Amino acid sequence: MVTLSEAYRDHPLHLHHIIPLDFSSAGTLPETHAWPELDDFATNGCSNGQKSIPVIDLKDPNAMEVIGIACEKWGVFELRNHEIPLNLIEEVDFQAKRFFALPSQNKLKALRSPGGATGYGVARISPFFSKYMWHEGFTIMGSPVDLAKRIWPNDYAPFCDPMENYQKQMKHLSEQLKHLIFNFLDISNEAKNWVGSTNSSGSGCACTAIQLNSYPSCPDPNRAMGLAPHTDTSLFTILHQSNTNGLQIFKDEVGWVPVNPDPTALVVNTGDILHIMSNGRFRSVLHRVMVNGTRPRYSVAYFYSPPLNYVVSASSNGVLKSGELARFHSVTVKEYIGLKAKNLEKALCLITI
Ligand SMILES: O=C(O)CCC(=O)C(=O)O
Ligand SMILES: [Fe+2]
């Protein structure tokens, strides 16, 4: 099976694009982390009119329709009644905070390797920006045991068990959402099951990852950036944000819109692979994270994508209406991840027909 680590192995990073700042000892904002010319909304934090993202109840009998419309108009929605146990979400949050609270030299024991995909490090988008972000992350794919053992050699289960359980629950929820979204788009059953993505028989397993994000409180928040504007590579992302503001999405003709946290809800956003599979109808949503001067912020992102050797293509999945042409060249998930790792937001343009 092709693994995500393989997809990243061809794009190794320099260590200065992996090792986060030791935020606990940073009394002032270093120039390396000071962003010039942040827009007014970033620095004043004012709310942009009354705009807020759609809120959807997964048990709504019209869930398919309202989710489809939300993806098309916003690329993001808040999901309620998602059935992920709140005590599991709280435990994952607690374990994430416990990890990020460790002294820097302990966290570095789980540092992501230059060609690796998992472990502790700065955001993968970091090399595309001249300034560093006020952020540290921890990426998990499958079992986190090997990484966690480096930090807690004899006591890794309290960290690993909830992370593994969360991945199982998120996978189940993602499959439900995939069915609703693909039904809305009239995408075929073959595509729903990623048929064609395995070497032998049957269909391959989705490619998934958890990203724990930490944005420490910042000595000069008006000049710092938590996570620079980006789109996710995934089909879609399911995000849990604890109770601190900071996430914003970009909406055409409106500008940056805050996504206010509700710790009992989840936020779902569209990614590039859904953009390609829907032939541009569900555009991947641009988003960013701002930091603040008093409270650290934490979030847990779950990225859900087709198997790495799945061919992403609008021409063969039933999405095109009669006479409509595919707007993107077909690519495997692995190829697209490679394009994104090398070109960031230009990746979609590079496969545009
Ligand atoms: O922290 C957040 O709210 C967003 C995180 C995010 O965009 C990401 O991990 O890709
Ligand atoms: Fe993101």
Side-chain angles (χ1 to χ4, degrees):
M1 196 176 70
V2 202
T3 64
L4 196 55
S5 303
E6 260 175 72
Y8 283 126
R9 200 166 299 150
D10 304 339
H11 308 279
L13 297 172
H14 294 289
L15 277 180
H16 63 267
H17 280 304
I18 303 178
I19 301 178
L21 184 70
D22 180 359
F23 294 99
S24 64
S25 64
T28 54
L29 185 75
E31 274 312 303
T32 48
H33 289 66
W35 289 58
E37 293 170 30
L38 292 180
D39 55 81
D40 282 353
F41 180 39
T43 50
N44 297 332
C46 57
S47 167
N48 213 325
Q50 292 306 305
K51 286 280 176 201
S52 51
I53 66 166
V55 176
I56 293 174
D57 180 339
L58 189 56
K59 300 220 173 70
D60 181 339
N62 289 324
M64 178 188 88
E65 195 75 17
V66 285
I67 287 176
I69 294 168
C71 287
E72 188 163 24
K73 293 212 167 6
W74 284 83
V76 64
F77 57 91
E78 182 181 299
L79 187 67
R80 300 209 175 138
N81 256 324
H82 47 68
E83 290 197 325
I84 307 291
L86 281 185
N87 59 357
L88 175 62
I89 296 179
E90 282 164 8
E91 187 56 28
V92 166
D93 255 35
F94 176 81
Q95 293 299 333
K97 288 177 190 162
R98 187 164 78 94
F99 170 77
F100 289 119
L102 292 171
S104 183
Q105 71 268 24
N106 286 23
K107 292 185 275 192
L108 291 174
K109 291 182 190 162
L111 190 69
R112 202 169 69 220
S113 66
T118 59
Y120 176 61
V122 305
R124 281 208 79 92
I125 58 176
S126 173
F128 294 92
F129 299 89
S130 56
K131 296 290 181 170
Y132 289 101
M133 291 163 233
W134 200 256
H135 165 272
E136 52 185 338
F138 187 92
T139 313
I140 298 169
M141 288 170 195
S143 169
V145 168
D146 288 346
L147 286 166
K149 266 187 179 168
R150 294 193 219 157
I151 296 165
W152 301 286
N154 304 311
D155 193 23
Y156 51 86
F159 180 84
C160 296
D161 293 350
M163 296 301 162
E164 293 196 31
N165 195 0
Y166 192 73
Q167 292 188 81
K168 272 191 213 131
Q169 300 266 349
M170 280 288 148
K171 184 154 190 263
H172 178 71
L173 175 61
S174 299
E175 279 161 6
Q176 278 177 276
L177 291 172
K178 174 183 70 179
H179 276 267
L180 293 169
I181 290 173
F182 282 10
N183 282 347
F184 182 87
L185 288 168
D186 288 329
I187 285 184
S188 65
N189 285 331
E190 285 80 10
K192 261 180 224 152
N193 295 312
W194 314 129
V195 169
S197 60
T198 43
N199 22 25
S200 51
S201 59
S203 42
C205 285
C207 173
T208 66
I210 302 190
Q211 169 78 19
L212 310 176
N213 292 306
S214 152
Y215 310 87
S217 64
C218 178
D220 194 353
N222 289 348
R223 296 203 301 143
M225 175 64 80
L227 207 51
H230 67 282
T231 60
D232 293 344
T233 305
S234 57
L235 185 72
F236 52 74
T237 303
I238 305 177
L239 181 86
H240 180 260
Q241 33 175 1
S242 47
N243 49 9
T244 306
N245 288 328
L247 176 63
Q248 300 169 355
I249 60 120
F250 191 81
K251 185 159 169 48
D252 283 345
E253 288 155 30
V254 178
W256 291 104
V257 177
V259 179
N260 296 325
D262 172 350
T264 65
L266 296 167
V267 174
V268 181
N269 69 265
T270 53
D272 294 351
I273 290 173
L274 185 55
H275 188 123
I276 304 165
M277 289 190 76
S278 66
N279 209 31
R281 184 170 169 195
F282 287 4
R283 291 164 55 198
S284 52
V285 67
L286 190 67
H287 54 287
R288 70 180 182 184
V289 178
M290 308 315 296
V291 290
N292 74 77
T294 49
R295 302 178 60 185
R297 177 174 191 277
Y298 301 94
S299 72
V300 180
Y302 178 82
F303 302 107
Y304 181 81
S305 306
L308 285 167
N309 60 357
Y310 182 71
V311 179
V312 182
S313 159
S315 33
S316 56
N317 68 13
V319 88
L320 299 181
K321 304 287 167 274
S322 76
E324 191 184 348
L325 298 174
R327 293 176 51 197
F328 304 98
H329 293 289
S330 304
V331 276
T332 65
V333 172
K334 184 181 171 193
E335 283 164 350
Y336 188 74
I337 289 171
L339 281 174
K340 192 85 187 266
K342 259 202 192 137
N343 305 282
L344 199 64
E345 87 276 7
K346 295 187 192 74
L348 271 181
C349 290
L350 289 172
I351 58 162
T352 300
I353 294 174

